[in-house]
Amino acid sequence: RGLGGSRGGMASSILGRILAIVLAVAAAGRLGLGVIAYRTANALERPSYSVVRQLGGGVELRRYSPYLIAETSVRADSMREASGKGFREVAGYVFGKNRPATKMAMTAPVRMSSDPRGGVPSTTRVSFVLEKSYSRRTAPAPLRGQDVRVRSVAPHLLAARSFSGPPPSEKRVSSERQRVLDALSAAGLRPASDGETLLYGYHDPFITPSFMRKNEVAVRVEDSAAEVRAS
């Protein structure tokens, strides 16, 4: 009986070691795929901007050049809730559900914009940036009945704060937005809107490890106030 117990314990120990090795290999493979996804996302085309200056609290003031987006609107209780439906709608357009069935390249970031002053549920706009090679005239047209529109984003000033992690909760977005507003106030600058919040996601939420994902919460800045401060 003692010998049997010893063999049973040895077998359990071996199985435990094998399981640990399998889990370690799986984790390494998962991380490897995540690193590939991270590097792929970092190589995607992004809107052009110049950094005007660094504000307090890790907030960056940027001047964006004009760019083109494909956008849809979703009524939802939160930006996170709106992201799934909005992403599928716009991704469908970008990846070929358009006229003339053109498959466009993925870009970054995925943009979300919301203004909760209208109450709950509020309208969240989800959009993809289109490649710089397209214009309003040459961009593929959305299909009839498709809730997607192509529009230009005019040149603008933006105050943005970057942070890592999974797609942020509404509480985290609100907290980051307040940090941006505090930095603007300390610099003598004003937001262009009292309620609009922009949320940018640069990496996928499924393969890229959360600690490697880049998110940004941003607000538009009154251009005239920035010019006065810069002069």
Side-chain angles (χ1 to χ4, degrees), residues 71-79 82 112-126 147 170 195-197:
E71 180 180 71
T72 190
S73 298
V74 181
R75 292 280 290 174
D77 292 339
S78 67
M79 296 179 82
M112 287 193 287
S113 172
S114 182
D115 188 339
R117 291 176 298 174
V120 176
S122 60
T123 298
T124 296
R125 295 187 298 277
V126 182
D147 188 19
E170 213 72 6
E196 184 187 34
T197 302

mmCIF file of all heavy atoms in Angstrom, residues 71-79 82 112-126 147 170 195-197:
data_model
loop_
_atom_site.group_PDB
_atom_site.id
_atom_site.type_symbol
_atom_site.label_atom_id
_atom_site.label_comp_id
_atom_site.label_asym_id
_atom_site.label_seq_id
_atom_site.Cartn_x
_atom_site.Cartn_y
_atom_site.Cartn_z
ATOM 1 N N GLU A 71 -17.756 56.862 -40.357
ATOM 2 C CA GLU A 71 -18.345 57.025 -39.028
ATOM 3 C C GLU A 71 -19.769 56.483 -38.967
ATOM 4 O O GLU A 71 -20.524 56.550 -39.936
ATOM 5 C CB GLU A 71 -18.330 58.508 -38.677
ATOM 6 C CG GLU A 71 -18.890 58.880 -37.332
ATOM 7 C CD GLU A 71 -18.824 60.383 -37.108
ATOM 8 O OE1 GLU A 71 -19.589 61.124 -37.769
ATOM 9 O OE2 GLU A 71 -17.997 60.816 -36.297
ATOM 10 N N THR A 72 -20.119 55.930 -37.808
ATOM 11 C CA THR A 72 -21.497 55.546 -37.539
ATOM 12 C C THR A 72 -21.877 56.051 -36.158
ATOM 13 O O THR A 72 -21.008 56.360 -35.335
ATOM 14 C CB THR A 72 -21.680 54.012 -37.611
ATOM 15 O OG1 THR A 72 -23.072 53.689 -37.567
ATOM 16 C CG2 THR A 72 -20.979 53.306 -36.442
ATOM 17 N N SER A 73 -23.175 56.168 -35.890
ATOM 18 C CA SER A 73 -23.676 56.639 -34.592
ATOM 19 C C SER A 73 -24.459 55.529 -33.903
ATOM 20 O O SER A 73 -25.253 54.831 -34.543
ATOM 21 C CB SER A 73 -24.568 57.870 -34.771
ATOM 22 O OG SER A 73 -23.832 58.946 -35.329
ATOM 23 N N VAL A 74 -24.216 55.372 -32.601
ATOM 24 C CA VAL A 74 -24.865 54.314 -31.831
ATOM 25 C C VAL A 74 -25.455 54.907 -30.556
ATOM 26 O O VAL A 74 -24.766 55.633 -29.833
ATOM 27 C CB VAL A 74 -23.855 53.194 -31.457
ATOM 28 C CG1 VAL A 74 -24.552 52.093 -30.669
ATOM 29 C CG2 VAL A 74 -23.197 52.623 -32.705
ATOM 30 N N ARG A 75 -26.712 54.597 -30.289
ATOM 31 C CA ARG A 75 -27.341 55.005 -29.032
ATOM 32 C C ARG A 75 -27.084 53.918 -27.991
ATOM 33 O O ARG A 75 -27.451 52.752 -28.177
ATOM 34 C CB ARG A 75 -28.840 55.185 -29.215
ATOM 35 C CG ARG A 75 -29.226 56.354 -30.103
ATOM 36 C CD ARG A 75 -29.183 57.684 -29.370
ATOM 37 N NE ARG A 75 -30.249 57.808 -28.375
ATOM 38 C CZ ARG A 75 -30.353 58.840 -27.532
ATOM 39 N NH1 ARG A 75 -29.451 59.809 -27.550
ATOM 40 N NH2 ARG A 75 -31.347 58.906 -26.679
ATOM 41 N N ALA A 76 -26.425 54.270 -26.897
ATOM 42 C CA ALA A 76 -26.081 53.281 -25.871
ATOM 43 C C ALA A 76 -25.871 53.983 -24.546
ATOM 44 O O ALA A 76 -25.702 55.197 -24.473
ATOM 45 C CB ALA A 76 -24.826 52.512 -26.279
ATOM 46 N N ASP A 77 -25.875 53.180 -23.470
ATOM 47 C CA ASP A 77 -25.696 53.728 -22.126
ATOM 48 C C ASP A 77 -24.249 54.096 -21.831
ATOM 49 O O ASP A 77 -23.975 54.833 -20.886
ATOM 50 C CB ASP A 77 -26.178 52.724 -21.078
ATOM 51 C CG ASP A 77 -27.693 52.530 -21.112
ATOM 52 O OD1 ASP A 77 -28.377 53.434 -21.628
ATOM 53 O OD2 ASP A 77 -28.176 51.495 -20.628
ATOM 54 N N SER A 78 -23.304 53.549 -22.605
ATOM 55 C CA SER A 78 -21.896 53.835 -22.358
ATOM 56 C C SER A 78 -21.118 53.714 -23.664
ATOM 57 O O SER A 78 -21.563 53.093 -24.634
ATOM 58 C CB SER A 78 -21.311 52.862 -21.321
ATOM 59 O OG SER A 78 -21.268 51.543 -21.847
ATOM 60 N N MET A 79 -19.919 54.292 -23.681
ATOM 61 C CA MET A 79 -19.067 54.201 -24.857
ATOM 62 C C MET A 79 -18.632 52.757 -25.086
ATOM 63 O O MET A 79 -18.539 52.298 -26.230
ATOM 64 C CB MET A 79 -17.850 55.116 -24.689
ATOM 65 C CG MET A 79 -18.196 56.597 -24.606
ATOM 66 S SD MET A 79 -16.750 57.664 -24.366
ATOM 67 C CE MET A 79 -16.149 57.818 -26.039
ATOM 68 N N ALA A 82 -21.354 50.895 -26.785
ATOM 69 C CA ALA A 82 -21.521 51.323 -28.178
ATOM 70 C C ALA A 82 -20.403 50.816 -29.077
ATOM 71 O O ALA A 82 -20.595 50.696 -30.295
ATOM 72 C CB ALA A 82 -21.568 52.848 -28.245
ATOM 73 N N MET A 112 -13.772 57.065 -30.863
ATOM 74 C CA MET A 112 -15.127 57.171 -30.325
ATOM 75 C C MET A 112 -15.309 58.564 -29.750
ATOM 76 O O MET A 112 -14.385 59.125 -29.143
ATOM 77 C CB MET A 112 -15.388 56.115 -29.252
ATOM 78 C CG MET A 112 -15.557 54.717 -29.823
ATOM 79 S SD MET A 112 -16.248 53.555 -28.602
ATOM 80 C CE MET A 112 -14.825 53.355 -27.546
ATOM 81 N N SER A 113 -16.480 59.116 -29.963
ATOM 82 C CA SER A 113 -16.787 60.452 -29.479
ATOM 83 C C SER A 113 -18.174 60.442 -28.859
ATOM 84 O O SER A 113 -19.121 59.919 -29.452
ATOM 85 C CB SER A 113 -16.733 61.456 -30.631
ATOM 86 O OG SER A 113 -17.199 62.720 -30.217
ATOM 87 N N SER A 114 -18.279 61.018 -27.651
ATOM 88 C CA SER A 114 -19.566 61.020 -26.965
ATOM 89 C C SER A 114 -19.732 62.314 -26.173
ATOM 90 O O SER A 114 -18.762 62.879 -25.671
ATOM 91 C CB SER A 114 -19.659 59.817 -26.015
ATOM 92 O OG SER A 114 -20.909 59.776 -25.366
ATOM 93 N N ASP A 115 -20.983 62.759 -26.080
ATOM 94 C CA ASP A 115 -21.327 63.928 -25.274
ATOM 95 C C ASP A 115 -22.529 63.541 -24.417
ATOM 96 O O ASP A 115 -23.658 63.485 -24.914
ATOM 97 C CB ASP A 115 -21.654 65.124 -26.160
ATOM 98 C CG ASP A 115 -21.822 66.416 -25.364
ATOM 99 O OD1 ASP A 115 -22.079 66.328 -24.145
ATOM 100 O OD2 ASP A 115 -21.717 67.506 -25.950
ATOM 101 N N PRO A 116 -22.309 63.246 -23.126
ATOM 102 C CA PRO A 116 -23.391 62.746 -22.269
ATOM 103 C C PRO A 116 -24.408 63.803 -21.853
ATOM 104 O O PRO A 116 -25.371 63.491 -21.155
ATOM 105 C CB PRO A 116 -22.628 62.225 -21.043
ATOM 106 C CG PRO A 116 -21.411 63.087 -20.968
ATOM 107 C CD PRO A 116 -21.036 63.358 -22.408
ATOM 108 N N ARG A 117 -24.240 65.033 -22.290
ATOM 109 C CA ARG A 117 -25.168 66.087 -21.851
ATOM 110 C C ARG A 117 -26.574 65.855 -22.372
ATOM 111 O O ARG A 117 -27.539 66.416 -21.851
ATOM 112 C CB ARG A 117 -24.659 67.456 -22.300
ATOM 113 C CG ARG A 117 -23.398 67.908 -21.575
ATOM 114 C CD ARG A 117 -22.899 69.228 -22.125
ATOM 115 N NE ARG A 117 -22.543 69.111 -23.540
ATOM 116 C CZ ARG A 117 -22.189 70.160 -24.282
ATOM 117 N NH1 ARG A 117 -22.150 71.369 -23.755
ATOM 118 N NH2 ARG A 117 -21.862 69.986 -25.562
ATOM 119 N N GLY A 118 -26.697 65.022 -23.405
ATOM 120 C CA GLY A 118 -28.026 64.730 -23.945
ATOM 121 C C GLY A 118 -28.788 63.700 -23.145
ATOM 122 O O GLY A 118 -29.928 63.373 -23.479
ATOM 123 N N GLY A 119 -28.173 63.175 -22.079
ATOM 124 C CA GLY A 119 -28.836 62.185 -21.248
ATOM 125 C C GLY A 119 -28.404 60.780 -21.600
ATOM 126 O O GLY A 119 -27.540 60.547 -22.438
ATOM 127 N N VAL A 120 -28.999 59.790 -20.892
ATOM 128 C CA VAL A 120 -28.688 58.379 -21.101
ATOM 129 C C VAL A 120 -29.935 57.682 -21.596
ATOM 130 O O VAL A 120 -31.007 57.839 -21.006
ATOM 131 C CB VAL A 120 -28.176 57.738 -19.789
ATOM 132 C CG1 VAL A 120 -27.941 56.254 -19.982
ATOM 133 C CG2 VAL A 120 -26.900 58.440 -19.318
ATOM 134 N N PRO A 121 -29.865 56.857 -22.681
ATOM 135 C CA PRO A 121 -28.644 56.603 -23.447
ATOM 136 C C PRO A 121 -28.229 57.810 -24.287
ATOM 137 O O PRO A 121 -29.066 58.604 -24.686
ATOM 138 C CB PRO A 121 -29.035 55.418 -24.337
ATOM 139 C CG PRO A 121 -30.503 55.580 -24.521
ATOM 140 C CD PRO A 121 -31.025 56.124 -23.222
ATOM 141 N N SER A 122 -26.942 57.931 -24.511
ATOM 142 C CA SER A 122 -26.425 59.029 -25.327
ATOM 143 C C SER A 122 -25.973 58.480 -26.675
ATOM 144 O O SER A 122 -25.912 57.270 -26.886
ATOM 145 C CB SER A 122 -25.254 59.716 -24.613
ATOM 146 O OG SER A 122 -24.204 58.789 -24.390
ATOM 147 N N THR A 123 -25.646 59.365 -27.580
ATOM 148 C CA THR A 123 -25.176 58.955 -28.901
ATOM 149 C C THR A 123 -23.654 58.952 -28.913
ATOM 150 O O THR A 123 -23.016 59.956 -28.601
ATOM 151 C CB THR A 123 -25.699 59.905 -29.993
ATOM 152 O OG1 THR A 123 -27.130 59.847 -30.017
ATOM 153 C CG2 THR A 123 -25.165 59.501 -31.355
ATOM 154 N N THR A 124 -23.098 57.807 -29.250
ATOM 155 C CA THR A 124 -21.646 57.669 -29.394
ATOM 156 C C THR A 124 -21.321 57.491 -30.867
ATOM 157 O O THR A 124 -21.927 56.663 -31.542
ATOM 158 C CB THR A 124 -21.120 56.466 -28.599
ATOM 159 O OG1 THR A 124 -21.331 56.685 -27.203
ATOM 160 C CG2 THR A 124 -19.621 56.267 -28.841
ATOM 161 N N ARG A 125 -20.392 58.263 -31.351
ATOM 162 C CA ARG A 125 -19.947 58.139 -32.740
ATOM 163 C C ARG A 125 -18.674 57.290 -32.768
ATOM 164 O O ARG A 125 -17.705 57.606 -32.080
ATOM 165 C CB ARG A 125 -19.710 59.507 -33.364
ATOM 166 C CG ARG A 125 -20.979 60.333 -33.483
ATOM 167 C CD ARG A 125 -20.750 61.626 -34.252
ATOM 168 N NE ARG A 125 -19.791 62.495 -33.603
ATOM 169 C CZ ARG A 125 -20.090 63.336 -32.614
ATOM 170 N NH1 ARG A 125 -21.328 63.400 -32.155
ATOM 171 N NH2 ARG A 125 -19.159 64.100 -32.074
ATOM 172 N N VAL A 126 -18.711 56.223 -33.543
ATOM 173 C CA VAL A 126 -17.570 55.322 -33.697
ATOM 174 C C VAL A 126 -17.041 55.479 -35.120
ATOM 175 O O VAL A 126 -17.815 55.446 -36.077
ATOM 176 C CB VAL A 126 -17.972 53.858 -33.445
ATOM 177 C CG1 VAL A 126 -16.752 52.937 -33.567
ATOM 178 C CG2 VAL A 126 -18.612 53.704 -32.063
ATOM 179 N N ASP A 147 -25.544 52.282 -42.197
ATOM 180 C CA ASP A 147 -25.488 53.422 -41.285
ATOM 181 C C ASP A 147 -24.049 53.908 -41.123
ATOM 182 O O ASP A 147 -23.489 53.904 -40.026
ATOM 183 C CB ASP A 147 -26.091 53.049 -39.937
ATOM 184 C CG ASP A 147 -26.239 54.263 -39.010
ATOM 185 O OD1 ASP A 147 -26.221 55.402 -39.536
ATOM 186 O OD2 ASP A 147 -26.359 54.065 -37.794
ATOM 187 N N GLU A 170 -16.389 53.481 -18.226
ATOM 188 C CA GLU A 170 -16.891 54.858 -18.247
ATOM 189 C C GLU A 170 -16.264 55.671 -17.112
ATOM 190 O O GLU A 170 -15.938 56.854 -17.275
ATOM 191 C CB GLU A 170 -18.416 54.839 -18.112
ATOM 192 C CG GLU A 170 -19.124 55.942 -18.860
ATOM 193 C CD GLU A 170 -19.107 55.738 -20.365
ATOM 194 O OE1 GLU A 170 -18.640 54.697 -20.839
ATOM 195 O OE2 GLU A 170 -19.560 56.649 -21.076
ATOM 196 N N GLY A 195 -18.816 69.237 -23.071
ATOM 197 C CA GLY A 195 -19.168 67.859 -22.766
ATOM 198 C C GLY A 195 -18.535 66.785 -23.629
ATOM 199 O O GLY A 195 -18.479 65.624 -23.226
ATOM 200 N N GLU A 196 -18.046 67.125 -24.815
ATOM 201 C CA GLU A 196 -17.547 66.089 -25.721
ATOM 202 C C GLU A 196 -16.299 65.415 -25.178
ATOM 203 O O GLU A 196 -15.368 66.068 -24.698
ATOM 204 C CB GLU A 196 -17.237 66.681 -27.099
ATOM 205 C CG GLU A 196 -16.800 65.622 -28.107
ATOM 206 C CD GLU A 196 -16.320 66.217 -29.413
ATOM 207 O OE1 GLU A 196 -15.729 67.313 -29.390
ATOM 208 O OE2 GLU A 196 -16.549 65.571 -30.452
ATOM 209 N N THR A 197 -16.268 64.096 -25.279
ATOM 210 C CA THR A 197 -15.106 63.300 -24.899
ATOM 211 C C THR A 197 -14.710 62.432 -26.076
ATOM 212 O O THR A 197 -15.550 61.778 -26.695
ATOM 213 C CB THR A 197 -15.414 62.389 -23.699
ATOM 214 O OG1 THR A 197 -15.837 63.188 -22.595
ATOM 215 C CG2 THR A 197 -14.185 61.592 -23.300
#
